[in-house]
């Protein structure tokens, strides 16, 4: 399926494709290698990883671009990773240099940029611009609640000072993902990240089809119809909706996907933030991409007291079980995996 999607995207004019994180799981790493080998040489294949050398060492040689990210907001520095700005810059410098030495195109993204003070952002970006050969700066609305005016103004101020292009990544929690992407382009962003059908954590990010249609209708100098086969994109979107059984209201603020995270990095990144009027945050753990923060939360909900070391062991076991299910065994529901937690935890000497 991944090869077919990548090929159809390429035929439709989408030559820059981001394929996931090889550090997340061997299943993902193998898929990335296969897709990168399969696409023509003029395709620009990217992956994204956390900003550290361990992840950087998992990058396949056959991809062209690597996006690295580090949470920069005060909330993330206090409640998630606990590192200060100097530490972030040091790790970013080290990781960027490692990747540039291996001839990758490199993007550094300030995760949770919209909740990061503009002075802090400028400090990070400028110091990396001066000390490294990073190619692109990413600006992420990780929690999806910045307004179009805020996005335009922030991107405008950053792009007026920085010499490297800015790429915008925005989630749809507030319903603004598509229009925020337009606002970022108006503010001076060189590119924006989108996904087919807007697929992403919770209720998604900017939708490739929506965005190309909006740009085409607004009559900007970007001639979307000449760059992309819009009919092929729409047909692919319909195919994905059917194959993946995407709900019609997936990106709606009334969607059951609101506040629903799976990937560990998103759980850690947005966990200190409660979305307005959307109920409690929920985490899926029945997938190889689940992370220790989601597993720890699931344990806490059923009264299992577990430390970080045992949480890592338990998370790895869940990853192993759910990986096997994706290569042949029946797939368990999230409820089934949660019901297994006491037994799995007891294997590591943890009792409820």
């Amino acid at each position: 399926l991944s090869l077919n999607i990548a090929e159809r995207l390429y035929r439709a004019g989408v030559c820059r494709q981001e394929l996931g994180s090889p550090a997340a799981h061997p299943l993902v790493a193998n898929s990335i290698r296969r897709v990168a080998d399969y696409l023509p040489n003029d395709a620009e294949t990217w992956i994204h990883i956390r900003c550290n050398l361990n992840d950087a060492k998992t990058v396949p040689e056959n991809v062209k671009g690597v996006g690295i990210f580090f949470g920069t907001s005060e909330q993330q520095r206090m409640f998630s990773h606990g590192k200060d700005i100097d530490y972030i810059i040091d790790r970013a410098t080290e990781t960027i240099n490692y990747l540039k030495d291996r001839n990758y195109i490199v993007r550094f993204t300030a995760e949770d940029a919209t909740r990061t003070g503009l002075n802090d952002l400028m400090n990070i970006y400028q110091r990396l611009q001066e000390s490294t050969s990073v190619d692109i700066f990413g600006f992420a609305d990780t929690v999806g609640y910045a307004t179009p005016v805020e996005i335009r103004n922030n991107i405008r101020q950053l792009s007026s000072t920085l010499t490297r292009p800015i790429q915008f990544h925005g989630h749809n929690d507030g319903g603004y993902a598509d229009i925020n992407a337009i606002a970022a382009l108006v503010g001076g962003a060189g590119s924006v990240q989108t996904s087919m059908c807007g697929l992403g954590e919770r209720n998604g990010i900017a939708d490739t089809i929506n965005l190309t249609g909006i740009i085409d209708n607004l009559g900007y100098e970007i001639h979307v119809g000449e760059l992309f086969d819009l009919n092929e994109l729409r047909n692919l979107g319909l195919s994905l909706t059917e194959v993946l059984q995407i709900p019609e209201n997936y990106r709606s603020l009334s969607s059951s996907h609101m506040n629903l995270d799976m990937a560990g990095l998103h759980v850690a990144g947005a966990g200190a933030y409660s979305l307005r009027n959307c109920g409690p945050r929920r985490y899926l753990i029945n997938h190889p991409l689940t992370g220790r923060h989601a597993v720890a939360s699931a344990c806490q909900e059923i009264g299992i007291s577990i430390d970080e070391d045992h949480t890592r062991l338990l998370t790895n076991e869940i990853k192993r079980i759910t990986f096997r299910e994706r290569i042949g065994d029946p797939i368990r529901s999230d409820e089934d995996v949660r019901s297994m937690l006491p037994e799995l935890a007891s294997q590591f000497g943890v009792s409820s």
Side-chain angles (χ1 to χ4, degrees):
L1 177 62
S2 58
L3 295 181
N4 178 262
I5 293 170
E7 181 181 25
R8 292 182 66 179
L9 283 170
Y10 177 81
R11 290 204 312 262
V14 182
C15 295
R16 178 185 291 178
Q17 299 184 29
E18 196 151 320
L19 307 177
S21 173
H25 197 277
L27 181 69
V28 181
N30 290 336
S31 179
I32 289 169
R33 291 187 185 93
R34 290 177 61 221
V35 173
D37 276 339
Y38 184 77
L39 289 173
N41 288 334
D42 64 339
E44 192 174 297
T45 50
W46 281 69
I47 57 93
H48 64 269
I49 56 171
R50 294 165 298 189
C51 183
N52 64 63
L53 286 183
N54 287 336
D55 277 21
K57 292 174 182 177
T58 70
V59 177
E61 293 181 358
N62 61 345
V63 301
K64 297 181 180 177
V66 182
I68 63 174
F69 60 89
F70 212 124
T72 55
S73 68
E74 183 178 357
Q75 291 90 334
Q76 294 235 1
R77 301 197 307 266
M78 290 182 64
F79 303 114
S80 179
H81 53 70
K83 309 301 183 184
D84 62 21
I85 287 177
D86 286 339
Y87 180 94
I88 293 170
I89 293 171
D90 288 344
R91 292 291 74 74
T93 300
E94 177 183 58
T95 310
I96 291 166
N97 289 340
Y98 176 89
L99 293 167
K100 292 302 295 182
D101 285 346
R102 287 152 181 80
N103 299 316
Y104 294 107
I105 309 167
V106 179
R107 176 189 69 233
F108 172 81
T109 294
E111 184 191 4
D112 209 10
T114 49
R115 291 193 295 167
T116 304
L118 195 59
N119 289 337
D120 286 340
L121 271 181
M122 193 67 77
N123 178 24
I124 294 168
Y125 288 148
Q126 284 187 317
R127 286 170 65 181
L128 290 176
Q129 181 172 270
E130 293 167 1
S131 63
T132 74
S133 53
V134 63
D135 299 282
I136 300 169
F137 286 122
F139 181 97
D141 182 17
T142 302
V143 297
Y145 258 101
T147 67
V149 171
E150 291 170 331
I151 295 297
R152 181 200 62 194
N153 290 346
N154 284 337
I155 297 291
R156 180 172 289 166
Q157 290 187 62
L158 291 169
S159 62
S160 67
T161 302
L162 300 172
T163 59
R164 312 287 164 78
I166 297 172
Q167 184 174 90
F168 174 73
H169 173 95
H171 282 261
N172 198 50
D173 301 76
Y176 309 134
D178 295 334
I179 195 63
N180 274 351
I182 296 293
L185 292 172
V186 171
S191 58
V192 295
Q193 292 187 332
T194 68
S195 68
M196 289 299 297
C197 306
L199 289 172
E201 289 288 87
R202 305 185 300 279
N203 63 338
I205 66 171
D207 186 318
T208 304
I209 300 170
N210 284 359
L211 201 61
T212 53
I214 292 170
I215 292 173
D216 199 36
N217 289 334
L218 289 175
Y220 285 151
E221 293 181 1
I222 305 171
H223 300 295
V224 172
E226 297 176 9
L227 296 173
F228 304 105
D229 184 336
L230 301 183
N231 286 331
E232 176 62 17
L233 284 177
R234 293 187 188 103
N235 289 335
L236 177 56
L238 291 172
S239 297
L240 288 174
T241 299
E242 182 177 348
V243 171
L244 300 178
Q245 299 181 336
I246 303 169
E248 289 187 5
N249 73 333
Y250 165 69
R251 302 180 76 236
S252 166
L253 300 190
S254 63
S255 167
S256 61
H257 288 78
M258 281 296 296
N259 274 7
L260 183 62
D261 280 303
M262 176 184 66
L265 66 93
H266 281 97
V267 174
Y273 185 69
S274 297
L275 302 178
R276 296 189 287 268
N277 304 318
C278 294
R281 185 171 295 282
R282 298 173 295 133
Y283 310 129
L284 291 179
I285 63 171
N286 64 326
H287 196 279
L289 296 184
T290 192
R292 69 183 189 278
H293 296 279
V295 172
S297 176
C299 287
Q300 184 179 16
E301 288 175 9
I302 59 174
I304 297 177
S305 179
I306 185 168
D307 61 26
E308 184 169 342
D309 289 340
H310 285 94
T311 301
R312 290 180 185 276
L313 292 172
L314 181 56
T315 302
N316 288 336
E317 178 64 11
I318 292 172
K319 286 174 176 283
R320 186 190 67 81
I321 292 170
T322 53
F323 171 70
R324 287 191 55 81
E325 292 172 350
R326 266 116 186 122
I327 58 174
D329 293 350
I331 296 178
R332 293 176 174 86
S333 69
D334 188 61
E335 290 76 14
D336 287 342
V337 175
R338 286 171 181 267
S339 70
M340 296 167 58
L341 287 176
E343 180 182 351
L344 292 174
S346 69
Q347 296 177 13
F348 302 108
V350 178
S351 59
S352 56

